[in-house]
């Protein structure tokens, strides 16, 4: 019963968050200079402009437009893109987000595993050669921009060696380079988190207790240290998952991947209001849901955490 | 930084919509700030050398090309950008196609949707006799399809961004405003194969419109069938041009195949054309080098030099576009209200040096408002009009004297270093930084002015310009078609499309006369006088350079026709000797 109440409460809070995000985004977005015709970079005749605005209901008072948007949103209708006439925002998100999820998901999984392993290695070999190597990789991973790594890979694997296609999507061969590029950052991020978290855990009393009881070093690490060290990694996981969609713009652009990243960025430059709102709603829902899920994972991993405060 | 580049759009060939804010970012010459990079690649499909030579045709005829952006739509009434135009010109047959007369300058109109045409004596009624052409489903193309298409574009509820292109048509204003029924528009089908277009007044350059998307036919039943989705995907359209859409994988590729029902299908040699949608310039260059695309546009010296060194590659470089890079003054500004101050700023720039320093040597230094690619009929404008800016520079070797003269007229003393001048640029990346620093330095050395540079994103820049909140701005402007009127009328006092606030009755009068002058030589003289007032006398705007098209193609790509205002159609392309 308590669990049901808790879930309902969380759902209510999520809805309030979403409402606030939608409202703030709607009015912020409309304060950006320009309009959906700005891309033409020319002063259009008044009548041409007026007809366009009327077609999309942009001639209405702003607050009315907001109410209309809320009403449509409540019915699950995200509207038609202003930059891409005839394309529904819902369909566009439905078509592009699985592509981003596929590439980004594989990259994140690889990054998570390799990063975690590297972080543990770095912690166990602290201040020795393996630690230095891992930390160099980690620093490179967060500092070298994607638009440097990606063309470099293209030059080597596509232009010089001819092993892989330069661009495109659809087959495993197309995925190799983008996944390598996208896995680089999570490897670096999780290696650093795991290292510090592991070091922290290894300094805890219960580890000393286990070691003094004669538990083998392997068991100490696997059974006692690892599970507790994963907590910080889980904390940033929800951000990483959302980042698959929001952060892939550059990689998707370089490798011509038909993902959602481009809409997230270009819709703002295009003043494509419905697409801006649509992607925002999509990411916001994804984010609050992920946080909800992560809170549950905490409970599974860390027995100290309870969903609700027990009243004593 | 990558984002901005992808955002810029480029104008490609032909009557595609253009206008760029002229800022080219490194990977994106010709590009505009606001709309991004489509340009570069949209041009990929049109190299410009004239080598309609013979060679054994390859048995399998295909091309792989790059398209710099996902087309927003291929609804001829709703697209306004270059890439949409590139697809449309290949799947739809306009009334005529424009072809360059090479190596001479100038252009001619060749039959396409129309096999012949004539006008009445005063040029207000045009009659087009249609070719026996068919849609891809075998249905004949009729005059009604053209009538329907133009009415749809003008109908207020369509909200067509390019509807104003049809403004010369009789009753356009009233129909576009919803005051008269669609049937009143000056276009009708005399019979299935005869189309009549009536104009409000004679328009000397009317034929240029017949190549444009706004005059391409559309099928009423197909639009009714697909509704809102019409034009948003490969299955939601229908072709009557040299090619039809086989598939359109959004954000990935558009595959065109030969349209067997096309009237001139026997002369179309390519079986398949694949446009890969590639927004990143470096990727396009890599893909060309790896052999994945057959033609690539370049916008930086580094890549141009790189491809020059490659074997099996044919360059086509330095072809002038119809886009001018320019700076413009706010003539309502307390300082730039004075024409001598404007003239001083205009002539203080060495355009050759500017081109080398800021434009990578990729543009053509330009000394008048009309770019070198524009002509009046057979008369190339620039060749006949001379170079007003050079003349002014010769007459005033020290621009500082002109500046001080202007300052004294305004009672501002004679020390240029006391002036507050801000130059507005529509971009914030390195390309604009270089340009800004150069301008700052050149005005300091040549005029003694301590100038500020204001860098802003396109939206903010354009907002400031529209609100008159600037002194000098920097942009690009592309002509829709090959006629000086197209780029001069924007300075008429009622239009003020460049936001200079400049108005000149004599200029207005000259343009109004040119607009109805059917004699090409007379019209040319009127344009020359008008440009002279605009530039030499008044310096309302400061032309700097003409952008160019630069591309490389594999040597097996043949049948490529030169093109500036030419058509980006792939009708005549073929390959010979593809490995």
């Amino acid at each position: 019963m308590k669990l049901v109440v808790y879930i309902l409460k969380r759902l209510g809070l999520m809805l309030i968050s979403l409402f606030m995000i939608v409202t703030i985004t709607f009015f912020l977005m409309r304060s950006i200079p320009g309009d959906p015709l700005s891309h033409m970079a020319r002063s259009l005749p008044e009548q041409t402009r007026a007809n366009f605005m009327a077609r999309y209901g942009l001639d209405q008072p702003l607050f009315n437009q907001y109410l209309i948007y809320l009403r449509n949103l409540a019915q699950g209708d995200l509207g038609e893109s202003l930059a891409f006439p005839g394309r529904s925002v819902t369909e566009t998100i439905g078509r592009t987000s699985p592509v981003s999820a596929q590439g980004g998901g594989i990259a994140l999984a690889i990054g998570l595993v390799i990063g975690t392993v590297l972080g543990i290695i770095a912690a166990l070999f602290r201040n020795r050669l393996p630690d230095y190597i891992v930390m160099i990789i980690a620093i490179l991973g967060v500092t070298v921009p994607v638009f440097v790594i990606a063309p470099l890979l293209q030059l080597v694997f596509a232009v010089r060696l001819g092993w892989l296609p330069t661009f495109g999507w659809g087959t495993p061969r197309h995925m190799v380079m983008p996944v390598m590029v996208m896995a680089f950052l999570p490897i670096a991020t999780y290696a650093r988190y795991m290292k510090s978290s592991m070091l922290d855990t290894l300094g805890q009393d219960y580890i000393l207790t286990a070691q003094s009881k004669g538990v083998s070093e392997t068991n100490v690490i696997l059974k006692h240290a690892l599970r507790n060290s994963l907590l910080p990694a889980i904390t940033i996981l929800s951000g990483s998952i959302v980042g698959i969609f929001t952060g892939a713009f550059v990689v998707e652009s370089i490798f011509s991947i038909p993902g959602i990243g481009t809409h997230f960025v270009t819709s703002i430059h295009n003043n494509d209001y419905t697409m801006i709102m649509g992607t925002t709603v999509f990411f916001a829902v994804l984010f609050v849901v992920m946080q909800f899920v992560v809170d549950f994972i905490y409970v599974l991993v860390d027995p100290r955490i309870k969903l609700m405060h027990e009243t004593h | 930084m990558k984002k901005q580049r992808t955002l810029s759009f480029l104008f490609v060939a032909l009557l595609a919509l253009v206008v760029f804010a002229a800022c080219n970012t490194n990977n994106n010459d010709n590009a505009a700030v606001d709309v991004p990079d489509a340009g570069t690649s949209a041009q990929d499909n049109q190299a410009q050398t004239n080598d309609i030579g013979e060679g054994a045709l390859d048995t399998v005829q295909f091309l792989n090309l790059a398209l710099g952006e996902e087309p927003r739509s291929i609804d001829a009434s709703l697209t306004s950008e270059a890439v949409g135009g590139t697809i449309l010109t290949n799947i739809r047959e306009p009334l005529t196609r424009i072809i360059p007369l090479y190596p001479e300058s100038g252009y001619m109109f060749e039959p396409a949707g129309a096999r012949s045409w004539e006008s009445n004596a005063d040029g207000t009624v045009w009659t087009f006799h249609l070719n026996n052409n068919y849609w891809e489903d075998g249905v004949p193309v009729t005059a009604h399809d053209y009538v329907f298409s133009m009415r749809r574009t003008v109908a207020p509820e369509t909200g067509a961004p390019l509807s104003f292109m049809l403004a010369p048509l009789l009753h356009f204003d009233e129909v576009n405003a919803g005051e008269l029924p669609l049937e009143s528009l000056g276009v009708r089908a005399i019979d299935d194969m005869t189309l009549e277009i009536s104009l409000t007044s004679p328009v000397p350059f009317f034929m240029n419109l017949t190549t444009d998307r706004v005059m391409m036919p559309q099928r009423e039943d197909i639009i009714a069938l697909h509704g809102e989705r019409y034009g948003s995907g490969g299955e939601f359209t229908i072709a009557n041009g040299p090619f039809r859409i086989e598939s359109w994988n959004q954000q990935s590729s558009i595959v065109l195949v030969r349209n067997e029902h096309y009237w001139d299908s026997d002369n179309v040699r390519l079986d398949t054309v694949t446009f890969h949608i590639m927004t990143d310039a470096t990727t396009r260059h890599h893909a060309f080098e790896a052999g994945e695309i057959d033609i690539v546009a370049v916008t930086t010296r580094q890549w141009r030099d790189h491809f020059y060194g490659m074997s099996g590659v044919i360059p086509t470089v330095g072809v002038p576009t119809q886009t001018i890079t320019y700076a413009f003054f706010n003539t309502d500004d307390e300082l730039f209200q004075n024409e001598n101050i404007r003239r001083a700023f205009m002539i203080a720039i060495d355009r050759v040096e500017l081109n080398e320093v800021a434009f990578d040597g990729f543009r053509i230094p330009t000394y008048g408002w009309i770019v070198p690619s524009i002509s009046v009929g057979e008369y190339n404008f620039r060749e006949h009009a001379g170079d007003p800016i050079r003349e002014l520079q010769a007459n005033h070797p020290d621009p500082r004297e002109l500046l001080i003269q202007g300052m004294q007229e305004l009672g501002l003393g004679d020390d240029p270093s006391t002036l507050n001048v801000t130059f507005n640029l529509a971009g914030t990346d390195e390309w604009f930084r270089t340009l800004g620093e150069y301008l700052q330095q050149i005005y300091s050395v040549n005029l003694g002015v301590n100038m500020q540079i204001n860098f802003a994103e396109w939206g903010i820049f354009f907002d400031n310009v529209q609100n008159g909140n600037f002194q000098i701005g920097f942009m690009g402007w592309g002509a829709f078609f090959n006629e000086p009127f197209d780029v001069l009328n924007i300075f008429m006092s009622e239009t003020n499309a460049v936001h200079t606030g400049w108005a000149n009755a004599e200029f207005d009068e000259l343009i109004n006369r040119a607009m109805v002058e059917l004699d090409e030589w007379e019209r040319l003289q009127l344009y020359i006088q008008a440009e002279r007032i605009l530039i030499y006398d008044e310096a309302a705007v400061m032309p700097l350079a003409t952008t160019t098209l630069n591309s490389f193609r594999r040597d097996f790509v043949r049948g490529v026709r030169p093109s500036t205002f030419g058509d980006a159609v792939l009708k005549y392309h073929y390959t010979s000797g593809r490995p």
Side-chain angles (χ1 to χ4, degrees):
Chain A
M1 192 55 209
K2 269 186 178 166
L3 188 64
V4 175
V5 172
Y6 172 77
I7 291 176
L8 286 177
K9 210 165 117 188
R10 282 295 298 256
L11 284 176
L13 285 171
M14 281 159 66
L15 282 177
I16 294 171
S17 308
L18 286 176
F19 173 74
M20 290 173 65
I21 291 169
V22 165
T23 304
I24 293 170
T25 310
F26 187 90
F27 290 103
L28 265 185
M29 148 187 105
R30 295 304 291 271
S31 68
I32 300 173
D35 60 47
L37 287 172
S38 296
H39 76 96
M40 293 174 74
R42 141 169 338 235
S43 300
L44 295 172
E46 230 15 75
Q47 191 65 49
T48 302
R49 174 174 291 278
N51 289 346
F52 179 89
M53 295 302 167
R55 175 191 161 99
Y56 292 105
L58 298 173
D59 53 343
Q60 308 261 332
L62 189 57
F63 194 72
N64 286 9
Q65 294 181 39
Y66 169 68
L67 292 182
I68 292 168
Y69 188 81
L70 282 188
R71 192 186 66 205
N72 292 341
L73 185 63
Q75 295 165 354
D77 177 9
L78 293 175
E80 176 190 350
S81 165
L82 303 183
F84 297 91
R87 293 194 200 175
S88 106
V89 171
T90 313
E91 273 181 25
T92 302
I93 293 173
R95 172 175 58 80
T96 54
S97 56
V99 174
S100 296
Q102 190 188 7
I106 295 172
L108 180 58
I110 291 174
L112 195 60
V113 171
I114 296 180
T116 305
V117 171
L118 288 181
I120 293 169
I121 292 172
L124 296 180
F125 294 87
R126 192 182 180 191
N127 291 337
R128 282 184 278 162
L129 188 61
D131 180 23
Y132 297 142
I133 293 173
V134 170
M135 284 306 112
I136 287 171
I137 294 172
I139 289 166
L140 286 179
V142 289
T143 53
V144 181
V146 163
F147 58 82
V148 171
I149 305 173
L152 199 65
L153 291 181
Q154 280 180 340
L155 188 63
V156 174
F157 293 107
V159 178
R160 296 275 175 267
L161 299 173
W163 292 350
L164 296 169
T166 310
F167 66 97
W169 195 246
T171 72
R173 290 180 71 234
H174 286 113
M175 292 171 66
V176 177
M177 285 196 287
V179 165
M180 279 167 73
V181 174
M182 286 189 285
F184 207 27
L185 184 63
I187 287 174
T189 310
Y190 286 98
R192 282 161 57 244
Y193 266 90
M194 277 310 293
K195 179 189 167 186
S196 57
S197 167
M198 195 75 178
L199 286 175
D200 185 46
T201 313
L202 288 175
Q204 297 289 330
D205 290 344
Y206 59 82
I207 298 292
L208 195 62
T209 310
Q211 284 168 336
S212 57
K213 281 197 303 187
V215 179
S216 76
E217 195 64 18
T218 316
N219 273 345
V220 168
I221 291 163
L222 289 182
K223 287 193 177 158
H224 300 271
L226 182 57
R227 187 168 149 181
N228 290 313
S229 307
L230 279 173
L231 275 176
I234 292 168
T235 312
I236 58 169
L237 188 61
S238 61
S240 297
I241 290 175
V242 177
I244 288 173
F245 300 96
T246 57
F249 170 68
V250 178
V251 177
E252 291 181 357
S253 170
I254 291 175
F255 292 105
S256 299
I257 300 169
I260 197 173
T262 178
H263 294 288
F264 187 55
V265 177
T266 57
S267 62
I268 296 169
H269 290 274
N270 289 338
N271 289 98
D272 185 351
Y273 302 136
T274 42
M275 191 66 83
I276 296 174
M277 292 306 297
T279 50
T280 304
V281 168
F282 174 72
F283 294 134
V285 169
L286 194 66
F287 193 75
V288 294
V289 170
M290 285 313 304
Q291 291 210 304
F292 190 42
V293 171
V294 165
D295 283 353
F296 270 101
I297 297 178
Y298 273 144
V299 180
L300 300 180
V301 179
D302 188 345
R304 290 172 302 185
I305 299 175
K306 298 253 188 298
L307 282 179
M308 292 147 287
H309 291 290
E310 302 285 346
T311 43
H312 294 288
Chain B
M1 62 196 266
K2 208 83 253 183
K3 309 175 184 168
Q4 290 163 1
R5 296 185 177 165
T6 33
L7 284 181
S8 10
F9 176 116
L10 185 99
F11 174 101
V12 172
L14 194 31
L15 310 177
L17 163 64
V18 189
V19 175
F20 300 137
C23 26
N24 300 345
T25 47
N26 298 341
N27 57 349
N28 173 12
D29 231 22
N30 294 349
V33 186
D34 72 66
V35 209
D37 205 351
T40 3
S41 31
Q43 316 168 342
D44 287 3
N45 61 4
Q46 45 152 13
Q48 287 85 11
T49 44
N50 191 27
D51 74 328
I52 310 178
E54 288 307 309
L57 264 61
D58 295 327
T59 44
V60 186
Q61 288 288 320
F62 65 95
L63 277 185
N64 285 307
L65 303 171
L67 203 60
E69 262 194 334
E70 166 86 355
R72 291 170 170 234
S73 168
I74 48 166
D75 179 337
S77 295
L78 294 184
T79 59
S80 55
E81 21 80 278
V83 286
T86 301
I87 302 302
L88 273 175
T89 195
N90 282 296
I91 64 165
R92 290 283 169 73
E93 190 73 342
L95 281 170
T96 69
R97 290 190 184 272
I98 186 170
I99 59 170
L101 297 169
Y102 191 86
E104 308 93 64
S105 60
Y107 307 85
M108 66 168 285
F109 297 95
E110 68 173 13
R115 90 187 121 75
S116 65
W117 51 89
E118 71 256 349
S119 73
N120 64 354
D122 68 357
T124 52
V125 179
W126 291 76
T127 308
F128 294 87
H129 305 281
L130 302 189
N131 248 317
N132 289 315
N133 194 19
Y134 296 89
W135 295 93
E136 65 175 282
D137 59 0
V139 173
V141 178
T142 69
H144 303 285
D145 297 330
Y146 290 89
V147 173
F148 170 76
S149 177
M150 283 181 241
R151 284 180 180 166
R152 178 169 180 261
T153 298
V154 176
E157 60 271 20
T158 308
L162 288 179
S163 56
F164 64 89
M165 298 281 289
L166 292 172
L169 269 61
L170 190 63
H171 296 316
F172 169 87
D173 288 339
E174 296 87 340
V175 174
N176 193 227
E179 292 157 10
L180 279 180
L182 286 179
E183 292 69 31
S184 313
L185 189 66
V187 56
R188 68 185 182 110
I190 293 177
D191 57 44
D192 276 359
M193 301 307 283
T194 315
L195 179 72
E196 185 187 271
I197 297 177
S198 308
L199 310 181
T200 311
S201 57
V203 177
F205 46 87
F206 170 74
M207 280 304 292
N208 285 285
L209 281 179
T210 63
T211 67
D212 194 78
R213 70 185 85 183
V214 293
M215 284 203 185
M216 287 174 179
Q218 300 187 60
R219 275 269 290 279
E220 187 168 6
D221 58 330
I222 298 294
I223 293 173
L225 177 68
H226 298 306
E228 296 260 300
R229 300 181 148 221
Y230 172 70
S232 67
E235 65 274 41
F236 306 127
T237 188
I238 189 162
N240 74 333
F243 301 93
R244 59 183 172 83
I245 296 187
E246 165 121 320
S247 66
W248 177 357
N249 293 316
Q250 291 176 353
Q251 296 169 246
S252 287
S253 65
I254 298 177
V255 180
L256 305 185
V257 295
R258 198 149 65 95
N259 177 11
E260 300 293 340
H261 290 282
Y262 177 59
W263 68 277
D264 199 20
S265 187
D266 290 347
N267 287 319
V268 179
R269 286 170 284 195
L270 287 172
D271 297 312
T272 311
V273 179
T274 306
F275 286 99
H276 298 283
I277 296 158
M278 306 168 74
T279 53
D280 186 83
T282 305
T283 302
R284 293 194 290 267
H285 296 137
H286 282 154
F288 178 70
E289 194 162 354
E292 291 166 276
I293 57 173
D294 302 321
I295 304 176
V296 70
V298 294
T299 55
T300 63
R301 192 174 290 174
Q302 174 203 348
W303 280 106
R304 182 179 58 187
D305 294 346
H306 179 76
F307 290 133
Y308 266 136
M310 265 175 72
S311 62
V313 165
I314 299 174
T316 306
V317 296
V319 180
T321 67
Q322 62 285 66
T323 299
I324 184 128
T325 304
Y326 65 97
F328 55 109
F329 301 102
N330 180 359
T331 62
D332 294 328
D333 180 74
E334 58 175 20
L335 186 61
F336 291 103
Q337 60 177 298
N338 181 284
E339 69 272 15
N340 281 325
I341 292 177
R342 298 196 299 263
R343 293 161 105 200
F345 272 81
M346 183 175 75
I347 63 174
I349 292 179
D350 178 341
R351 283 157 177 73
V352 173
E353 186 180 271
L354 172 73
N355 184 40
E356 288 304 314
V357 174
F359 305 147
D360 239 6
F362 257 59
R363 300 189 182 182
I364 300 168
T366 306
Y367 300 90
W369 174 250
I370 310 293
V371 295
S373 53
I374 289 184
S375 56
V376 180
E378 60 188 281
Y379 308 111
N380 179 280
F381 182 89
R382 240 354 345 124
E383 280 169 22
H384 289 84
D387 293 322
I389 296 177
R390 270 197 177 130
E391 260 178 72
L392 199 58
Q393 284 171 329
N395 293 342
H396 298 275
D398 184 3
R400 197 189 301 235
E401 283 173 15
L402 257 184
L403 176 65
I404 291 169
Q405 186 189 330
M407 286 174 66
Q408 284 166 345
E409 285 164 12
L410 293 176
L412 294 173
D414 57 7
D415 182 4
S417 67
T418 59
L419 297 175
N420 278 324
V421 181
T422 303
F423 201 113
N424 287 59
L425 295 178
T428 56
D429 65 9
E430 201 190 326
W431 192 91
F432 283 100
R433 303 255 163 223
T434 307
L435 174 65
E437 280 165 23
Y438 175 75
L439 291 170
Q440 216 164 17
Q441 184 199 334
I442 217 69
Y443 281 125
S444 169
V445 171
N446 291 352
L447 292 181
V449 172
N450 298 318
M451 192 172 69
Q452 307 292 313
I453 305 288
N454 180 19
F455 300 95
E457 292 297 331
W458 166 252
I460 295 164
F461 167 85
F462 201 53
D463 220 47
N464 282 333
V465 166
Q466 286 179 309
N467 295 324
N469 184 20
F470 74 106
Q471 288 181 298
I472 316 179
F474 176 91
M475 267 182 70
W477 191 282
F480 279 108
F481 41 75
N482 176 37
E483 175 75 22
F485 174 83
D486 186 50
V487 289
L488 285 174
N489 80 78
I490 57 179
F491 289 102
M492 292 174 76
S493 40
E494 62 180 34
T495 318
N496 188 29
V498 184
H499 303 285
T500 55
W502 180 77
N504 183 292
E506 199 186 344
F507 179 89
D508 288 358
E509 165 67 15
L510 286 165
I511 299 301
N512 279 326
R513 280 169 60 197
M515 196 159 63
V516 293
E517 174 59 65
L518 295 180
D519 183 85
E520 289 174 353
W521 178 257
E522 290 303 320
R523 206 157 79 235
L524 173 69
Q525 302 311 316
L526 293 169
Y527 289 140
I528 290 173
Q529 290 176 50
E531 193 204 43
R532 197 165 176 84
I533 293 172
L534 178 72
I535 304 299
Y536 190 94
D537 297 343
E538 293 274 330
V541 64
M542 172 158 82
L544 295 169
T546 304
T547 60
T548 60
L549 298 177
N550 298 275
S551 64
F552 289 82
R553 68 176 194 273
R554 294 283 172 179
D555 56 8
F556 51 76
V557 180
R558 306 290 180 87
V560 181
R561 302 206 293 196
S563 169
T564 288
F565 276 99
D567 198 328
V569 70
L570 298 158
K571 182 174 168 180
Y572 301 108
H573 287 54
Y574 64 95
T575 68
S576 173
R578 180 190 281 274

